[in-house]
Amino acid sequence: MSAVPPSGPGAHAPEPSSVSALSMSQLLAAMRSVGSGGLELHSTLDRICRTAAGLADARYAAIGVVAEDGNGLADFVHHGVDEAAARCIGRLPDGHNGLLGALIHDPVPVCLGNLAADLRSCGFPEHHPAMRSFLGVPIRVQGEIFGNLYVTEKRGGEPFDEADLHMVRVLAGEAGIAIGNARLYEAAKQRERWIDGSVAVTTALLSGGDADDALQVVAEQARRLSGSAAGVVLLPSDEGGLEIVAVASDRPSDLLGAMLPAESAIVAELLAGQSLFMDDVASDGRLLTEYAKGFGPIMMVPLQSDGRVLGTLVTPRVRGARPFTRAERTLAVQFASQAALALMMADAQRDRERLAVFEDRDRIARDLHDLVIQRLFATGMMLESAQRRSVVPEVREGVGKAVDELDVTIQEIRAAIFALQQDPAEVSSGLRSRVLREITMAAVPLGFKPTYRFVGAVDALVGDLTGKNLIAALRETLSNAFRHSRASRLDVVVDATATLPDGRPGVRLTVADDGVGVPRAGRRSGLRNLRRRAESLGGDSRLAPGIGADGAGTTVVWQAPY
C-alpha cells in the first residue's frame, strides 16, 4: 500500500511501456467518451465516473467536487452504487475527514492496495459496500483543483497498478477540459436565466399595477432563479427595522408582516446597502428572529440603485442545502440592483399616473363648479319662478319637490368637488376614510359612484396589516370591475362583525356588481392575488353570483382576521 506522488523525492512516473497497446486504445476511446455527449455539468461528471470505472476495470468510481472555500466537498457524484444501496447508506461524504478529506488538502495521486489499512481512512458507514483497492487522482480545471477522481475495488480482487494510475491520470486531465467546458456552459445558461428573470421583473413592474404586487413579482423571480425555499422582500419600517412585505413560497407562510428588529446586528448593514451571505443562518444568531431556525444557507442583498437603498431581498434555502456559490451571489446582487431600478422606474411611472389623475380630478371639479352647479342653480331659479306663477296646487307642489331635489343634488355635487380637490395627505388615515377614498377614485373610470356600507367599528377593530391588505383587495376588485365587468351597479360592504369559518372574528369585504361575470378563459392573476393576500393573513377569498338579474355579475368575498 503506497501513495504515488506526481513529483518530489522518491516519486516516479509510470513508464510509457507499462501501458499496453490495448490499454492505449481503451484510453483513447475513454477520452473520446469523456469529450462527447452533453455539456451539462452533472451529466459530464456522471460520464467521467462511468468511463473511469470501465477504463480501470473497477466496480465503483466517484468524483468529489471540492467546495469553493476548499473546506470539504460541495458535491459527490458516484457510479456503481445503486439507488437502493445509496438510500441505505444515507448522507454522502462531506470531505471533512478521512482519506477524502486528506486528498482535498493534499491533492496528489494515491494508489492503495488495502484502503482500510491506510492511517487516513476512517472506515465506512453502515450498509456501505466493501472496498479494498483504491486509486485517486486530482482533477484540475484551468490550473485550479476542481476535485478528485476515485476508482475503487478492481475486479478480480487485484490491486491497481501503475498502468491503471497512468490511464486514470490522463483521463483526469481530459476530464478537466470537459468539466471546464461544462462549467462555462452552465455559467452561461445561469446568467441567461437571471437576465431573463430581470427582464420579466422589469416588464411586470412597468406594466402597471399595485406596488405590493410588484414586490411580490420580485420575490417570486428571486426564489425561482436562486433555487431557494423562499423569496422575501423587506422594506424599512417606521420603527427603524425591516418589515417583510412580500413572500414567495410553495407552502403557506406567516412571514408577511413580520419584523426584523432594529436592534438586530445586521439591520444597519443591510440598510447601508451591504450584502450578507451565510452558510447556516439558523446557527448564526444575528437575526434575532425565530423565523431563521428553519433555514440554512441564505443570501441577503440590498435593493439599491443610484446609491438609494429601497429594501432588502432575501433568498433562504432549507437547512442542509448546499451553500450559494460565488457566481450565484454575484448574479443575485446584479438581479437585486436591476429590480431596484425597475421599482424606482415603476414608482416614477405611478407618480406620473397619479399626477394625471389629480389633474383630471381638478378639471372635473372645475367643470362641476363652473358649469353643472351654475346650470342647476339657474334651472332651480326658473322652476321657482314657474312655481310662483302656477295656480294649480298639484303643479306647485310637484315643482317645489323638484326644486328641493335640485338643492340636494347641488349639495352632493359640492361635496364631491370638495373630495376631488382634497389633498390625499389631508385625508384621515382611518380604514373607513381609505375605503371611501378608493370608492371615490373608482367613480371616475366607472362613470358612477358605487354604493357602500360599513358594519361595526371598522376603524377600531381592524389592524394595520389587515387594513392595508383589505384596501389592496378593494383596489384590485374595483380595478377589475371597471376594466372587465361592464357593470352599471356596484355595492361595497365592509363588515367588521364577520365570523370566519374557523370561528375567529374578522373583517369581510364584499364587492358585488351586475356585470358580465368572470370569463372562463383568460388571465386570473388578480383573483390569485386576492386569495394570496387573504391566505397570508389566515383568511380566504371566493367568488359568488352577482347582483344583476338571475345572478348576473360577480360578487367577490374577501375576509381575514383582524
Side-chain angles (χ1 to χ4, degrees):
M1 296 79 69
S2 62
V4 185
S7 59
H12 66 280
E15 298 295 332
S17 59
S18 65
V19 181
S20 67
L22 177 60
S23 297
M24 185 62 69
S25 175
Q26 293 174 332
L27 178 59
L28 292 175
M31 292 173 66
R32 285 195 300 270
S33 174
V34 168
S36 63
L39 285 173
E40 288 78 10
L41 180 58
H42 210 275
S43 65
T44 299
L45 298 179
D46 281 333
R47 191 164 61 249
I48 293 170
C49 287
R50 186 171 60 252
T51 303
L55 183 64
D57 196 23
R59 292 182 182 275
Y60 310 104
I63 292 178
V65 181
V66 178
E68 288 184 342
D69 60 3
N71 184 22
L73 297 176
D75 197 5
F76 189 82
V77 181
H78 56 84
H79 168 77
V81 178
D82 58 37
E83 293 184 5
R87 284 195 298 270
C88 291
I89 296 171
R91 190 168 61 89
L92 293 171
D94 55 19
H96 289 153
N97 48 37
L99 180 59
L100 300 190
L103 293 181
I104 292 175
H105 300 290
D106 186 20
V108 296
V110 173
C111 186
L112 302 172
N114 185 0
L115 182 59
D118 190 89
L119 296 177
R120 295 165 293 182
S121 178
C122 60
F124 296 110
E126 190 178 0
H127 306 297
H128 195 286
M131 293 181 182
R132 184 175 177 85
S133 54
F134 175 89
L135 194 158
V137 297
I139 298 176
R140 288 178 169 84
V141 177
Q142 297 178 345
E144 296 183 357
I145 292 295
F146 171 82
N148 289 284
L149 172 62
Y150 323 106
V151 290
T152 61
E153 199 63 14
K154 188 175 178 68
R155 298 181 188 276
E158 300 177 359
F160 294 106
D161 56 23
E162 290 187 350
D164 294 322
L165 176 61
H166 177 75
M167 289 191 295
V168 173
R169 288 179 66 181
V170 173
L171 181 66
E174 182 67 21
I177 298 173
I179 291 170
N181 292 335
R183 290 174 75 179
L184 290 174
Y185 175 77
E186 290 283 328
K189 294 293 289 183
Q190 190 178 47
R191 284 195 298 271
E192 182 181 352
R193 287 193 298 271
W194 281 89
I195 290 172
D196 289 343
S198 296
V199 171
V201 166
T202 303
T203 302
L205 298 188
L206 296 182
S207 63
D210 184 73
D212 290 338
D213 294 335
L215 295 173
Q216 185 67 25
V217 170
V218 174
E220 289 172 351
Q221 287 291 339
R223 170 183 171 271
R224 180 182 66 85
L225 293 168
S226 63
S228 300
V232 182
V233 176
L234 301 96
L235 296 183
S237 66
D238 295 336
E239 293 77 16
L242 289 168
E243 179 185 1
I244 296 177
V245 297
V247 178
S249 176
D250 281 339
R251 294 178 294 181
S253 172
D254 58 351
L255 288 174
L256 196 64
M259 294 291 298
L260 191 60
E263 55 269 22
S264 175
I266 66 172
V267 167
E269 298 178 63
L270 294 174
L271 292 177
Q274 299 182 29
S275 298
L276 296 177
F277 307 100
M278 308 174 195
D279 289 344
D280 187 11
V281 65
S283 61
D284 190 275
R286 288 182 290 170
L287 283 182
L288 298 181
T289 173
E290 61 180 10
Y291 300 108
K293 296 178 181 178
F295 297 114
I298 191 171
M299 292 191 293
M300 308 181 76
V301 295
L303 290 166
Q304 65 176 340
S305 179
D306 196 24
R308 178 185 172 192
V309 178
L310 304 180
T312 300
L313 177 62
V314 180
T315 53
R317 286 175 175 164
V318 297
R319 297 204 71 177
R322 66 172 180 82
F324 293 97
T325 64
R326 282 195 296 265
E328 288 174 323
R329 296 177 181 186
T330 301
L331 290 169
V333 171
Q334 294 172 349
F335 171 84
S337 297
Q338 179 65 29
L341 177 60
L343 284 169
M344 292 178 64
M345 294 172 63
D347 266 347
Q349 177 175 292
R350 281 190 291 271
D351 287 341
R352 290 192 297 270
E353 292 173 351
R354 281 194 291 267
L355 179 60
V357 169
F358 293 148
E359 290 175 346
D360 201 31
R361 291 171 64 185
D362 286 341
R363 179 189 58 78
I364 293 171
R366 288 194 304 270
D367 289 346
L368 287 173
H369 181 271
D370 297 341
L371 300 175
V372 178
I373 286 184
Q374 296 301 327
R375 289 183 179 179
L376 288 175
F377 187 72
T379 302
M381 293 181 65
M382 291 170 59
L383 287 174
E384 286 179 340
S385 176
Q387 182 186 30
R388 288 192 298 269
R389 292 197 299 267
S390 176
V391 295
V392 180
E394 291 81 359
V395 173
R396 290 172 62 89
E397 183 181 356
V399 172
K401 290 181 179 179
V403 171
D404 292 340
E405 289 294 330
L406 283 177
D407 288 339
V408 172
T409 302
I410 290 172
Q411 293 302 318
E412 290 178 347
I413 293 176
R414 283 177 173 163
I417 292 172
F418 176 77
L420 287 170
Q421 292 178 330
Q422 193 174 15
D423 191 319
E426 299 173 358
V427 180
S428 170
S429 60
L431 180 58
R432 182 186 297 261
S433 298
R434 285 182 286 164
V435 169
L436 291 176
R437 186 168 61 216
E438 294 297 331
I439 291 173
T440 302
M441 290 284 288
V444 175
L446 282 170
F448 62 91
K449 187 173 182 179
T451 63
Y452 58 87
R453 183 164 58 93
F454 295 96
V455 181
V458 173
D459 287 340
L461 293 174
V462 182
D464 289 341
L465 180 60
T466 300
K468 177 182 176 182
N469 281 275
L470 184 145
I471 291 298
L474 174 62
R475 187 180 302 132
E476 179 76 37
T477 306
L478 293 174
S479 174
N480 288 338
F482 71 72
R483 287 180 181 176
H484 310 298
S485 72
R486 300 198 294 274
S488 60
R489 178 186 168 194
L490 203 67
D491 294 344
V492 177
V493 179
V494 180
D495 184 0
T497 65
T499 301
L500 304 184
D502 59 5
R504 288 181 295 170
V507 60
R508 178 179 297 124
L509 168 68
T510 305
V511 182
D513 66 58
D514 61 351
V516 297
V518 178
R520 293 184 179 179
R523 296 180 59 198
R524 295 188 174 223
S525 58
L527 298 177
R528 287 196 297 270
N529 288 338
L530 293 175
R531 185 171 61 253
R532 175 180 56 79
R533 287 184 181 280
E535 290 175 350
S536 69
L537 299 170
D540 62 80
S541 179
R542 66 180 188 274
L543 298 179
I547 55 175
D550 299 324
T554 305
T555 296
V556 177
V557 180
W558 186 97
Q559 57 188 5
Y562 298 139

